[in-house]
Amino acid sequence: MIYLLLGAVSAFFGAGDGLGATTLLRPLLDAVSPLPPATVAALATMATLCAALVGAFFALGRPLPLPQEELVLLAVGALLGGVLGDLAQARFFAALAPERARLMQNALLFTLIALPSLYFSQLARTIQPLALSRVFSFPVGLFAGLTASFLAFGGEPLTLMLYFLLFDADDDEAAFAALSVTVCAMSGKLITLLIRQRFTLPAADALLWLLPGALGGALLAMLPGFARSAQRSGQLLLRLSLFTAVLNVAAAMV
C-alpha cells in the first residue's frame, strides 16, 4: 500500500509542475523500501515511464512547440542515452555493495537536483542564456538521457535547466523537451533492462501497487480541477527531493 501512495503523490505533484514523477519518488523509494538498489531503480524506471506517457498523451493533443528536426535529434540522443545509462548502471551495481551504491547514487542525485534548484531560484536572474543552435539538442538529449537512465529519476529538472540555459527556450519548449527526454530515455532504459533480465519483472508485488499509483497520480495532475494545485509545488518538491537524498546518503554512511 505504501508503494501506491508514494507513486500517486510523487506522480501527481511531479507531473503537475513538470519536474517529473520520480524526482521525489526515487529518493523516497531508497529511503523506505527494503529492496536492493537495482530493484528500486527498475521500479522507478517503470513508474517514470508510466507517468511520462500520460503527460505525452495529453501533450500530443496540442501543437508541438519544437520543430520536428529538433525533436528527432533530441529523441535519438535521449534514447541512446537511456540505453547507455542502463548498461552503465548495471556495471555500477555489479561492482559495488548495495549500501555503497545507494550512497553514491543519492549523492549524484542530490547534485543533479540541486543544480536546477539553484538555477531556478537564483542564477536564472543573473546568468545570460547562451542561445546556442538547436543542433546541440542531440548532445543535450544524450547527456540528460544518460544521467536520467543511470539514476532512474527521469531527468526533467536537468533538461529544463539545460534548455533554458543553453537555448534560451520558452516555458513550453523546455517542458516539452523535458517530457520527450524522459519518455525516450526511460523507454531505452526499460527495453535494455528487460533484455538483460530476460524479460522478467523485478518485485512484481510492488509493481502491482506502484504503477497504478503513478498512473492515477499523473492522470489527476492533468485534470483542470487539480492541475493548478499541483503546479504550485515545484520548489517544495525539489527541496523534499534534496532533503530525502541527503538522508539516504547519511543513512548509507552509518
Side-chain angles (χ1 to χ4, degrees), residues 125-161:
R125 295 188 292 271
T126 59
I127 296 180
Q128 187 72 21
L130 299 179
L132 299 178
S133 168
R134 296 298 176 94
V135 173
F136 289 98
S137 57
F138 175 79
V140 167
L142 179 64
F143 174 71
L146 193 153
T147 54
S149 175
F150 181 74
L151 295 174
F153 86 115
E156 283 93 333
L158 178 62
T159 307
L160 287 170
M161 182 189 73

Side-chain angles (χ1 to χ4, degrees), residues 12 54 58 216-231:
F12 176 74
V54 172
F58 283 89
L219 283 170
L220 281 178
M222 296 296 109
L223 298 179
F226 294 94
R228 183 172 298 178
S229 62
Q231 288 172 352

Side-chain angles (χ1 to χ4, degrees), residues 14-15 18-23 44-56 71 74-83 140-149 152-160 163 174-191:
L19 293 177
T22 48
T23 300
T45 297
M46 285 179 268
T48 302
L49 185 57
C50 285
L53 288 174
V54 172
L71 187 58
L74 186 69
V76 172
L79 186 65
L80 179 59
V83 173
V140 167
L142 179 64
F143 174 71
L146 193 153
T147 54
S149 175
F153 86 115
E156 283 93 333
L158 178 62
T159 307
L160 287 170
Y163 249 72
F176 192 80
L179 181 62
S180 301
V181 165
T182 300
V183 171
C184 295
M186 293 297 102
S187 296
K189 177 178 176 60
L190 182 59
I191 292 171

Side-chain angles (χ1 to χ4, degrees), residues 24-119:
L24 178 59
L25 179 63
R26 176 61 209 275
L28 282 178
L29 284 178
D30 273 331
V32 305
S33 176
L35 299 171
T39 304
V40 167
L43 293 177
T45 297
M46 285 179 268
T48 302
L49 185 57
C50 285
L53 288 174
V54 172
F57 176 79
F58 283 89
L60 291 177
R62 302 185 295 270
L64 297 179
L66 296 177
Q68 291 186 359
E69 297 82 1
E70 179 184 349
L71 187 58
V72 169
L73 289 172
L74 186 69
V76 172
L79 186 65
L80 179 59
V83 173
L84 295 176
D86 182 73
L87 295 175
Q89 187 188 68
R91 295 290 297 270
F92 178 78
F93 285 143
L96 296 178
E99 288 305 313
R100 180 78 171 174
R102 184 177 290 111
L103 185 154
M104 294 185 67
Q105 280 221 315
N106 275 273
L108 184 55
L109 182 64
F110 176 88
T111 302
L112 291 180
I113 297 175
L115 287 175
S117 178
L118 180 63
Y119 176 78

